Amino acid sequence: MRRRSRAVDALAAVLLLALSAACGSRLPESDFEHHDRSSAPRGSAPLRVGIITSATSPVGGSAFTGPRDGAKAWFDRLNARGGIDGRRVEVLLCDDGGSGVGNNECVHRLVEEDKVVALVATTALDYAGASRVSRARVPDIGGQPIGSAYDTYPHLYGIYGSRAPRNGTPGWGGKLYGGTEVYRYFKREHGARTAAVVSYNQSASAAYARLVERGLRAEGYKVVTEQVDFALPNFRAVAADLREQGADLVFDAIDSHGNARLCRAMDEVGAHVTAKVTNVQSWTSTVADAYQDAPRCRNALWATGSSRNHDDTGHPAVREFREATKDLKTHSQWQLEGWAAARWFTDAARSCARTGITRACVDAAMNRSEGYTAGGLLLPVVFERRAEPPRTVRTCLSVARWQDGRGWLGQGDMNRTCFDVPQLAYEP
């Protein structure tokens, strides 16, 4: 069972690909990188792990690299402290170029040639090699659920868990399910009643918008739909209508550049909202630059997800992450989740140290990791194999809002911001 935020965020990544392709972007060639091959101490062979990332893709060079960078930072720190049971972790990186062909090449290289013990923090636009990973019984730990692979195959453990059977078919009979907790949150905590959904007149954008609209209507919102021309968008007209309609919330099915233009138009016409809601992929420190022309809208940005705010340095696990990544130019929620994925692998591998750190042992440890939180960085992860999807699920939510000069401010305890919400079906 996917959290609502996971369902929508996954489709958001696919949406970004569709919009970029429509602009005529060319698919780059795959670029394979092998790092951290320095020699290990005598008698202590390194543990090899693989990280597959769509580092070069039609979406852009930095769109999917956050989890990789966070995981790499964890392993660098781990190796500096002696590795796992005295064994260095050798990190092999592979860029699949955002294509299915490139992804299969990465899987072949890492799983079949390099014999990695596990994949960690996979962030693939087209995870075409997922079935091969599963057949090889290689645990794939803490990957980002951009597609449906983590709700389809055994031995794949997405960063947010899954309640699906994972028997080779996506979800339940080809359908995935998501909840309405984000909409419930803004309705309960902020009294929101009218929500706008902005999309392009483009198929992927429109489909994504319809999913958001369904969830909002299920929570009793008045929904205002706004569609703009993809080639010549008139964001000022949209912003003016948002003001006239009295929208409390704005959700979108548009790209990051379009979002910045929409925000600027909202500031220009005086369209003031309770929240301009974004997703975990946009939960980054680059907000001030990306929205530099829209100060009012920028300070109405809210993000929701299933992991602890990366700016919450009052929490020891976040503080540890930030100290280890202090040399990175930017920080993001996806970096934190990649760090959590690497920590998850490490905890599983350490449990196998006495009997032997093998694919099978790490996989068995992952199957026992019910309620895992990576030291409080994640909401408790659930892996179930329910024959039927439940009608409702109690789902918790991490929420933050942007404030100039202070960054992302967490809104309440994510382990207590919980709702019993209906589950709505959608096709991946």
Side-chain angles (χ1 to χ4, degrees):
M1 187 63 56
R2 301 166 77 96
R3 295 181 175 91
R4 198 254 21 142
S5 53
R6 289 185 53 210
V8 173
D9 290 346
L11 291 181
V14 177
L15 168 66
L16 286 173
L17 171 62
L19 298 179
S20 298
C23 290
S25 297
R26 181 178 66 85
L27 186 69
E29 295 181 3
S30 296
D31 175 29
F32 297 99
E33 301 175 273
H34 283 195
H35 295 280
D36 284 356
R37 286 188 174 275
S38 56
S39 59
R42 289 183 180 180
S44 180
L47 289 168
R48 286 183 172 179
V49 299
I51 302 178
I52 299 175
T53 308
S54 297
T56 56
S57 76
V59 176
S62 62
F64 294 100
T65 55
R68 178 202 69 188
D69 294 345
K72 187 67 166 55
W74 169 271
F75 287 126
D76 286 345
R77 173 183 167 279
L78 179 70
N79 285 333
R81 298 184 177 186
I84 300 174
D85 195 35
R87 299 176 66 181
R88 179 180 178 81
V89 176
E90 182 182 5
V91 181
L92 308 182
L93 306 182
C94 194
D95 174 11
D96 68 9
S99 74
V101 171
N103 187 263
N104 270 307
E105 290 174 350
C106 279
V107 168
H108 171 71
R109 176 75 64 90
L110 296 175
V111 171
E112 297 164 12
E113 293 185 358
D114 290 328
K115 305 294 184 183
V116 297
V117 70
L119 297 176
V120 177
T122 300
T123 312
L125 196 54
D126 182 359
Y127 198 176
S131 62
R132 296 174 67 178
V133 174
S134 181
R135 285 197 302 272
R137 298 177 180 271
V138 174
D140 177 340
I141 301 170
Q144 289 291 336
I146 294 170
S148 59
Y150 292 98
D151 285 311
T152 301
Y153 299 106
H155 312 294
L156 273 60
Y157 305 92
I159 192 69
Y160 309 128
S162 175
R163 288 187 170 91
R166 293 188 294 147
N167 56 9
T169 300
W172 291 264
K175 291 185 177 180
L176 303 179
Y177 289 76
T180 60
E181 60 272 13
V182 172
Y183 319 125
R184 180 76 60 85
Y185 169 82
F186 284 103
K187 183 178 180 180
R188 189 188 77 175
E189 298 297 323
H190 300 283
R193 293 294 181 269
T194 302
V197 184
V198 182
S199 64
Y200 289 126
N201 60 342
Q202 188 266 356
S203 59
S205 178
Y208 173 66
R210 286 194 295 271
L211 175 64
V212 177
E213 291 164 19
R214 282 182 59 209
L216 287 165
R217 289 195 171 96
E219 288 296 331
Y221 281 84
K222 173 187 174 183
V223 180
V224 177
T225 59
E226 303 281 356
Q227 191 171 86
V228 295
D229 185 85
F230 178 62
L232 297 170
N234 186 347
F235 288 114
R236 191 177 180 88
V238 170
D241 194 52
L242 295 178
R243 182 192 60 201
E244 294 303 315
Q245 297 282 353
D248 302 310
L249 309 176
V250 176
F251 295 86
D252 70 86
I254 60 179
D255 59 344
S256 56
H257 178 65
N259 259 303
R261 294 178 63 190
L262 173 61
C263 258
R264 184 172 64 228
M266 290 171 62
D267 271 21
E268 289 172 351
V269 305
H272 304 148
V273 297
T274 300
K276 171 72 176 67
V277 187
T278 188
N279 55 53
V280 67
Q281 194 176 5
S282 299
W283 193 340
T284 75
S285 63
T286 63
V287 165
D289 291 333
Y291 294 85
Q292 59 181 334
D293 297 327
R296 182 152 192 147
C297 181
R298 182 175 67 236
N299 283 280
L301 287 175
W302 292 64
T304 63
S306 302
S307 53
R308 191 173 298 277
N309 177 18
H310 70 266
D311 270 349
D312 181 12
T313 54
H315 190 280
V318 177
R319 189 163 57 249
E320 183 181 29
F321 158 72
R322 291 298 294 265
E323 288 172 354
T325 58
K326 61 185 177 183
D327 292 334
L328 294 179
K329 293 181 179 180
T330 63
H331 286 93
S332 72
Q333 207 63 16
W334 264 15
Q335 289 171 359
L336 179 140
E337 291 181 355
W339 170 278
R343 177 171 179 163
W344 202 350
F345 163 77
T346 301
D347 289 341
R350 279 175 171 157
S351 74
C352 296
R354 181 173 297 179
T355 58
I357 303 173
T358 63
R359 291 174 174 177
C361 184
V362 172
D363 187 64
M366 291 301 298
N367 274 315
R368 297 192 301 269
S369 61
E370 187 76 8
Y372 185 78
T373 69
L377 294 177
L378 304 173
L379 287 167
V381 180
V382 174
F383 286 107
E384 296 176 346
R385 293 193 175 185
R386 295 196 179 192
E388 299 292 335
R391 293 183 179 181
T392 62
V393 169
R394 184 162 184 80
T395 307
C396 301
L397 192 64
S398 177
V399 184
R401 65 171 300 179
W402 177 266
Q403 184 174 323
D404 286 349
R406 301 182 66 188
W408 289 99
L409 303 178
Q411 304 296 302
D413 183 345
M414 69 177 187
N415 291 293
R416 295 183 180 180
T417 307
C418 306
F419 309 90
D420 295 305
V421 292
Q423 301 298 300
L424 306 180
Y426 69 97
E427 294 185 0

